[in-house]
Amino acid sequence: QVQLQQSGAGLLKSSETLSLTCDVYGGSFSGYYWSWIRQPPGKGLEWIGEIDHSGSTNYNASLKSRVSISFDTSKNQFSLRLTSVTAADTAMYYCARSLGYCSTPTCDPLGYWGQGALVTVSS
Amino acid sequence: QSVLTQPPSASGTPGQRVTISCSGGNSNIARNYVFWYQQRPGTAPKLLFFGTDQRLSGVPDRFSVSKSGASGSLAISALRSEDEADYYCVTWDDSLSGPVFGGGTKLTVL
């Protein structure tokens, strides 16, 4: 059974860089899409971006200039970096893996999620 | 402002049927599958439906989905107290080249 375990939460100051990792247990990177999603307190979900098994990335246009997603297969983990954070980046951050239902992200939903990591940005 | 429009709230009494709508457009719902998630307080979203109307293992058959044109809907019949949660619709947007979420609907079981 696939499990995603997140780490790296905490308190940041404005202009600092957010770094989160997601450890993957029970599966390989091949054939899936690996995403980061965030949820500000009391609000809805926002997709941040994704990386596929070949290392190709796709980012939300609103965050593209500040975000980077990568993976390290030797450690079975993938990571999120978000630079120049502000209070607007305060949120619960989730990592997720596609279900494996089909071969493109257009039809393959996020089927497995990490437990979430709360990031608070203070000014 | 979410790309997909959901009612912010819905409610029903135990045993009733409730429907949650999700309205999109030609670049998203009209062209792609709609996925539905349930999120209980303090937990990660849980996928309920994918594909045309495929239910994840463990999702009660009281839950069903449908889609027509650029709109989708989630129906819950024989409502139970444990159905109380936030529900989100998600689909791929061809213009934005990424998934888009509805704003979420908070379901209250009275």
Side-chain angles (χ1 to χ4, degrees):
Chain A
Q1 178 72 351
V2 176
Q3 289 188 8
L4 305 181
Q5 186 74 30
Q6 298 181 226
S7 59
L11 181 64
L12 296 173
K13 295 181 180 178
S14 290
S15 79
E16 291 186 335
T17 295
L18 178 159
S19 292
L20 297 173
T21 59
C22 185
D23 292 311
V24 179
Y25 299 96
S28 73
F29 279 90
S30 181
Y32 301 105
Y33 294 86
W34 305 85
S35 294
W36 288 93
I37 303 96
R38 68 181 182 179
Q39 184 172 35
K43 296 188 178 180
L45 300 159
E46 179 184 32
W47 177 73
I48 298 171
E50 66 188 5
I51 186 169
D52 71 13
H53 57 92
S54 71
S56 178
T57 54
N58 181 27
Y59 301 128
N60 186 321
S62 68
L63 298 169
K64 191 171 185 176
S65 63
R66 299 193 291 130
V67 69
S68 175
I69 297 175
S70 60
F71 63 65
D72 186 334
T73 55
S74 67
K75 295 182 179 179
N76 258 25
Q77 66 181 200
F78 67 112
S79 303
L80 170 70
R81 277 175 52 90
L82 184 67
T83 61
S84 304
V85 297
T86 69
D89 295 310
T90 292
M92 182 71 79
Y93 285 75
Y94 294 101
C95 62
R97 196 207 82 176
S98 64
L99 190 64
Y101 169 64
C102 60
S103 61
T104 73
T106 61
C107 58
D108 200 3
L110 299 171
Y112 300 92
W113 293 63
Q115 81 278 20
L118 181 62
V119 175
T120 303
V121 180
S122 67
S123 53
Chain B
Q1 192 82 2
S2 301
V3 174
L4 305 181
T5 302
Q6 295 181 237
S9 63
S11 63
T13 56
Q16 277 190 328
R17 175 185 170 92
V18 170
T19 300
I20 297 171
S21 62
C22 176
S23 178
N26 289 331
S27 65
N28 44 68
I29 292 181
R31 295 170 178 259
N32 297 294
Y33 294 129
V34 180
F35 313 127
W36 287 92
Y37 290 82
Q38 177 191 65
Q39 184 180 33
R40 293 194 171 99
T43 68
K46 169 190 167 186
L47 180 65
L48 300 177
F49 286 91
F50 62 100
T52 303
D53 58 1
Q54 293 184 247
R55 188 182 292 108
L56 261 288
S57 175
V59 176
D61 59 9
R62 302 183 292 105
F63 289 73
S64 62
V65 295
S66 64
K67 178 183 136 176
S68 177
S71 294
S73 64
L74 170 71
I76 309 172
S77 60
L79 203 59
R80 302 176 63 140
S81 58
E82 60 258 37
D83 299 333
E84 191 162 284
D86 293 329
Y87 292 86
Y88 292 89
C89 58
V90 185
T91 190
W92 186 268
D93 191 292
D94 291 343
S95 297
L96 299 175
S97 295
V100 290
F101 290 82
T105 298
K106 183 177 183 63
L107 174 63
T108 301
V109 181
L110 302 169

